Amino acid sequence: MGKIYVVGIGPGSIENMTLRAKKALDDSDIIVGYKTYIDLLKAEYAHKEFYENGMRGEVERCEKCVQFAKEGKTVALVCSGDAGVYGMASPLYEVAEGSGFRDIEVVSGVTAALSGGAVLGAPLSHDFCVISLSDLLTPWELIEKRLRCAAEGDFCVAIYNPSSKKRAYYLKKACDILMEKLPGDRICGYVRNIGREGCEKKICTLSELTNESVDMFTTVFIGNSGTKAFDDIMVTPRGYSL
Ligand SMILES: C[S@@+](CC[C@H](N)C(=O)[O-])C[C@H]1O[C@@H](n2cnc3c(N)ncnc32)[C@H](O)[C@@H]1O
């Protein structure tokens, strides 16, 4: 019987991976993942066996991992960022539990809120929450409620899955909900392609964010009532008298 590592590879480049993540990949016989992430690893791990599939193939990907591990292989199931943040760790545990397989080790990675936060400066230096706008697995009403609660609690917010081809206007919908409570001049920002070629960032106000078009490779940051912009840097104070 083999084992399965669930590996968060960070935002993209090898240099943003943890040493433990790199070791898990080095020690694996086969690397399994969504096509985009496998493409990021192929140059570095050309000698390894790969299994890749597309979006919506998550459950099949987990089943394949269990199958490969039962055949005796050491498997690395890779995800971007951290495997526990909208990643493959929880579906793998659920699939593996159903087939009685237990030898799983989760290897944490740097999630987009943190790697993107570093690109913008220090936007999440006080209490923050993470909200995904994807309603594929979560009812939109619940997403709306969480946005309203975050605004009510004066949290900084990192928004994942802000948009896609089918959900092009979701970020605008989310901004409109936040603006029921928050002022239009609230400092916000976003980062596209964190740690990858073509990384770009922007700082803007919440009302300006309403008109920005972002894609699924973007993470959006909403500041709290104390967040400031220093040119293209977004800073949420800790609270020191400075
Ligand atoms: C299904 S979630 C996966 C999150 C991932 N497990 C993590 O911890 O970062 C996909 C969303 O994560 C964010 N994301 C992941 N990698 C990113 C990157 N390199 N640049 C910008 N955003 C990223 C985007 O908001 C994207 O829509």
Side-chain angles (χ1 to χ4, degrees):
M1 199 72 107
K3 80 172 277 173
I4 306 174
Y5 292 107
V6 198
V7 185
I9 62 168
S13 57
I14 298 288
E15 66 190 1
N16 281 311
M17 221 184 259
T18 66
L19 292 176
R20 215 178 126 216
K22 185 148 187 349
K23 183 167 183 336
L25 294 181
D26 290 342
D27 291 349
S28 296
D29 301 306
I30 179 165
I31 302 176
V32 177
Y34 173 53
K35 193 181 173 320
T36 308
Y37 307 137
I38 293 290
D39 287 346
L40 291 169
L41 296 171
K42 268 194 175 150
E44 185 79 9
Y45 290 95
H47 55 293
K48 296 274 179 189
E49 189 183 346
F50 287 96
Y51 178 86
E52 62 184 54
N53 70 6
M55 196 98 78
R56 311 278 179 100
E58 290 84 359
V59 173
E60 193 227 348
R61 217 174 295 153
C62 294
E63 288 166 350
K64 281 287 181 190
C65 287
V66 174
Q67 179 197 316
F68 294 141
K70 283 186 168 175
E71 288 166 8
K73 290 179 174 162
T74 301
V75 183
L77 172 60
V78 295
C79 314
S80 74
D82 183 84
V85 181
Y86 311 118
M88 297 301 295
S90 69
L92 179 73
Y93 272 113
E94 289 184 283
V95 166
E97 189 62 22
S99 66
F101 184 85
R102 285 278 169 83
D103 198 353
I104 295 172
E105 188 176 325
V106 179
V107 180
S108 63
V110 183
T111 189
L114 306 186
S115 53
V119 174
L120 287 175
L124 304 179
S125 294
H126 213 285
D127 298 338
F128 70 94
C129 61
V130 168
I131 299 177
S132 165
L133 298 190
S134 171
D135 58 357
L136 282 178
L137 301 172
T138 307
W140 178 255
E141 298 67 38
L142 184 55
I143 296 170
E144 282 196 3
K145 182 178 174 184
R146 288 176 177 165
L147 288 165
R148 288 196 175 92
C149 288
E152 184 64 38
D154 194 22
F155 282 94
C156 300
V157 187
I159 296 182
Y160 284 50
N161 298 298
S163 182
S164 70
K165 279 184 194 138
K166 284 191 187 149
R167 299 182 295 105
Y169 54 94
Y170 273 36
L171 180 60
K172 179 181 170 12
K173 281 209 302 187
C175 290
D176 288 343
I177 290 163
L178 291 170
M179 278 195 293
E180 291 168 9
K181 177 80 187 172
L182 306 183
D185 63 358
R186 175 60 53 88
I187 301 297
C188 297
Y190 61 84
V191 191
R192 183 166 185 276
N193 280 332
I194 304 158
R196 299 181 193 165
E197 217 180 298
C199 178
E200 48 189 346
K201 66 171 178 175
K202 181 159 183 181
I203 307 271
C204 58
T205 64
L206 182 54
S207 58
E208 287 165 350
L209 187 61
T210 311
N211 298 313
E212 291 289 326
S213 70
V214 300
D215 63 14
M216 63 184 285
F217 302 109
T218 305
T219 301
V220 175
F221 296 79
I222 313 291
N224 71 14
S225 54
T227 302
K228 306 168 186 178
F230 300 144
D231 295 326
D232 64 344
I233 299 293
M234 183 173 173
V235 177
T236 299
R238 294 276 313 279
Y240 295 112
S241 312
L242 297 167

